Amino acid sequence: MTSPDEAWSVSRLARAIKRTVEEGAEPVWVRGELVGVKRYPSGHWYFGLRDESAKVDCTLWKFSAARLPAPLEEGQEVFAFGTPNVWEERTALRFNVTRVVSAAGVGAAAQAIERAKQALLADGLLDPARKRPLPPFPLRIAVITSIAGAAVHDIITVAKRRWPGIELLVINSTVQGEGAPAELVAALGRVARLDAIDCCIIGRGGGAREDLAAFNTEAVCRAIAACPVPVISAVGHEVDVTLADLVADVRAATPSQAAEFALPDRREVEARVAALRDALGSRTLAQVAGMQSRLVRTRDRLGNALLEQVRTAERRLLRVEARLPLALERHARAPRERLARVQGRLAPAMRRRVAETHADLGRLAAQLDALSPLAVLGRGYAMARGEEGRLLRRRADFVPGTPFTLTLADGSITARTEAS
Amino acid sequence: MSSTPTLGEDLTRLEEIVRRLEDDDLALESALQLFEEGVTRLKAAQARLSVAEARVLQVLEESGDTGALRLEPMDG
């Protein structure tokens, strides 16, 4: 128990009450009827919010009042957004309101969205089959948003990180308030007048539900559908899906995500290029190696086939020769001698041809070795080519002052003979 | 815009070249041609990736009712 000696001052009590009410108080939406509405010359509004069994006094300060779509009216059913606080001087509880929307307006807005949705549906603009794919490697992207907002900064930051070669064309537009739908429609119209745009991001940073109204209008949705390039919506509201999201080709939850959807990741593409470079080298080497082993096999088979023919011919000659003496000894001495002479010439001729064929094939294989681009060029050699790609093999092939091309392992350069 | 192949076209063609180089019936001449084309396209792709700066431009309506648009550098 406390004694009167420990009595609190009034101020202390007031502060304690204020602390109890305000500490940890979260802003809330409250639905009620407006009573005792007063607007002071200072610009502040005072009113009560009432339902069947309770009433709370409210304040709406001048800077918040400036955002009212229409003056408050006595008896109006509204949603008010605010935080409870205590006016210390009188220890009076006030609901400090920062936003008021008419309940009828909320109902009307929902109805307007539904009407717009039905109209878009009727024209097939919400058909998922309409959705266009995004270009894989865009060069120029149009960004429609308010240059005063955070969205444009987020998109630029992500774009610079992911795909530094990109060109962003920013089209400034109001994204909330009365003029927003018309400005957004005009901005979308400008996309069609710009050259070589690959896709378009339209959006805003996070906003309250009623701030998304422009993105729920039929006019903006039709302009998105009419845009000649794929459109990414980035309305920045995770919970609510706007009609613009439904009409857009791709919906992103945030402006940053829209930039991620629109642009490839430079590191991924670099990895893909590196993999292709390696594959190109190894496949070409494999081709040349395969060609060489096929040539060797062909050469061996060809040689063996020719040798076999010679052997067969020799065997047939021997058989004929063996039979000839018996049958023709007396009558055909002359033919026999002729045959012997033919045989003597034939076998060496066939052998010579086989040897020549081997030599030809050997030369071919050697040429093929020289052509292997990576095996040879990779060791630091270069191929010199004159006009029409003719290989320059000898000193005499280089005419002073005449340009020629040097092919190295990783490409070509143009060179010129200084003096022979 | 010129008819220079885009990065996407270069990568698609490179993938096709690598696939074709796996074909056993390829003549040596064709293989070497494909290799040379592949090297050219690789260089183009690498050049495209080495572009360092993003450009941010604001689209503005030309004064007067010409309907023309003008682009102005914008600080990102």
Side-chain angles (χ1 to χ4, degrees):
Chain A
M1 288 296 285
T2 56
S3 71
D5 294 343
E6 297 160 8
W8 284 19
S9 67
V10 175
S11 304
R12 185 178 171 188
L13 176 64
R15 278 200 303 276
I17 292 171
K18 184 176 173 70
R19 221 177 17 249
T20 307
V21 170
E22 293 181 4
E23 257 181 19
E26 296 282 332
V28 284
W29 282 100
V30 176
R31 180 176 185 152
E33 185 190 339
L34 293 179
V35 288
V37 175
K38 275 188 210 118
R39 181 174 187 272
Y40 282 75
S42 57
H44 307 317
W45 291 73
Y46 297 89
F47 53 91
L49 264 181
R50 186 178 72 178
D51 65 9
E52 302 79 41
S53 51
K55 177 179 170 249
V56 177
D57 289 330
C58 304
T59 51
L60 178 73
W61 304 125
K62 183 181 168 183
F63 61 88
S64 298
R67 295 181 50 190
L68 283 177
L72 301 179
E73 283 172 33
E74 190 73 20
Q76 195 184 3
E77 190 78 7
V78 298
F79 293 98
F81 185 72
T83 16
N85 73 353
V86 171
W87 179 24
E88 236 171 303
E89 199 181 312
R90 292 196 191 171
T91 317
L93 187 109
R94 296 277 189 271
F95 186 52
N96 183 18
V97 175
T98 55
R99 248 193 200 123
V100 181
V101 288
S102 136
V106 169
Q111 280 173 18
I113 292 174
E114 191 52 35
R115 273 198 306 278
K117 186 172 181 175
Q118 292 309 320
L120 297 169
L121 258 176
D123 287 343
L125 300 186
L126 303 184
D127 185 353
R130 274 190 73 257
K131 296 199 184 296
R132 295 164 287 191
L134 297 175
F137 299 104
L139 298 171
R140 247 183 163 195
I141 295 181
V143 177
I144 299 174
T145 190
S146 163
I147 57 167
V152 67
H153 178 74
D154 291 350
I155 290 169
I156 291 170
T157 305
V158 173
K160 283 185 169 172
R161 189 183 70 227
R162 279 180 80 89
W163 202 238
I166 192 68
E167 199 167 76
L168 297 177
L169 301 191
V170 178
I171 306 174
N172 184 35
S173 170
T174 306
V175 292
Q176 68 186 62
E178 228 172 292
E183 282 197 32
L184 288 168
V185 169
L188 282 157
R190 275 176 210 145
V191 173
R193 285 153 57 202
L194 289 165
D195 286 332
I197 298 290
D198 293 303
C199 71
C200 171
I201 297 173
I202 183 168
R204 55 164 300 151
R209 185 170 293 191
E210 63 270 21
D211 289 340
L212 307 179
F215 295 91
N216 275 319
T217 57
E218 192 179 333
V220 170
C221 289
R222 287 191 185 278
I224 288 174
C227 190
V229 295
V231 176
I232 306 173
S233 70
V235 182
H237 204 276
E238 306 256 1
V239 184
D240 289 327
V241 177
T242 63
L243 292 181
D245 290 322
L246 299 179
V247 175
D249 297 281
V250 175
R251 180 201 176 211
T254 62
S256 300
Q257 195 185 43
E260 281 165 18
F261 287 167
L263 292 162
D265 187 333
R266 179 192 187 141
R267 278 165 303 182
E268 279 171 25
V269 178
E270 278 169 349
R272 189 173 157 200
V273 168
L276 280 167
R277 184 193 60 215
D278 296 346
L280 181 67
S282 62
R283 303 279 154 79
T284 307
L285 266 183
Q287 266 293 332
V288 172
M291 216 84 66
Q292 283 170 328
S293 66
R294 262 163 63 203
L295 192 66
V296 168
R297 280 200 304 277
T298 308
R299 181 190 63 190
D300 291 348
R301 266 167 42 208
L302 196 59
N304 291 341
L306 280 171
L307 274 176
E308 193 49 45
Q309 277 185 28
V310 172
R311 285 196 200 101
T312 306
E314 280 176 341
R315 275 197 298 278
R316 276 173 61 195
L317 275 169
L318 285 172
R319 279 202 301 279
V320 170
E321 194 184 25
R323 289 210 309 273
L324 271 173
L326 300 169
L328 300 172
E329 188 141 28
R330 281 163 298 174
H331 308 292
R333 187 165 302 274
R336 191 191 166 199
E337 283 165 0
R338 215 172 122 203
L339 188 66
R341 280 198 304 277
V342 168
Q343 185 207 351
R345 288 209 315 270
L346 185 61
M350 287 298 271
R351 286 207 180 85
R352 205 161 49 242
R353 270 183 57 196
V354 171
E356 280 167 4
T357 307
H358 270 294
D360 282 349
L361 289 169
R363 272 196 301 279
L364 264 174
Q367 280 170 8
L368 196 61
D369 271 331
L371 277 174
S372 167
L374 292 176
V376 176
L377 301 184
R379 291 198 297 268
Y381 291 87
M383 261 193 293
R385 284 181 173 153
E387 283 172 341
E388 294 150 14
R390 192 171 51 87
L391 268 176
L392 307 179
R393 301 158 192 280
R394 292 175 192 81
R395 201 157 166 269
D397 291 337
F398 292 87
V399 182
T402 306
F404 60 91
T405 306
L406 270 182
T407 303
L408 306 156
D410 62 344
S412 300
I413 56 162
T414 304
R416 191 183 293 273
T417 312
E418 287 288 344
S420 57
Chain B
M1 295 299 280
S2 68
S3 59
T4 313
T6 65
L7 179 61
E9 284 163 359
D10 277 332
L11 292 180
T12 307
R13 176 64 182 152
L14 268 167
E15 273 154 357
E16 191 187 325
I17 286 172
V18 166
R19 262 201 313 280
R20 285 198 55 199
L21 281 169
E22 282 173 340
D23 182 358
D24 284 339
D25 291 334
L26 201 60
L28 182 64
E29 188 63 23
S30 314
L32 290 179
Q33 264 171 21
L34 285 174
F35 174 74
E36 284 187 2
E37 187 194 340
V39 169
T40 306
R41 289 196 182 254
L42 262 177
K43 276 197 269 184
Q46 281 162 342
R48 176 68 186 77
L49 280 170
S50 69
V51 176
E53 269 305 296
R55 288 218 303 159
V56 183
L57 302 164
Q58 191 179 350
V59 179
L60 297 167
E61 203 76 42
E62 202 68 86
S63 54
D65 262 349
T66 58
L69 297 174
R70 133 178 91 86
L71 301 177
E72 262 187 18
M74 185 177 148
D75 291 328

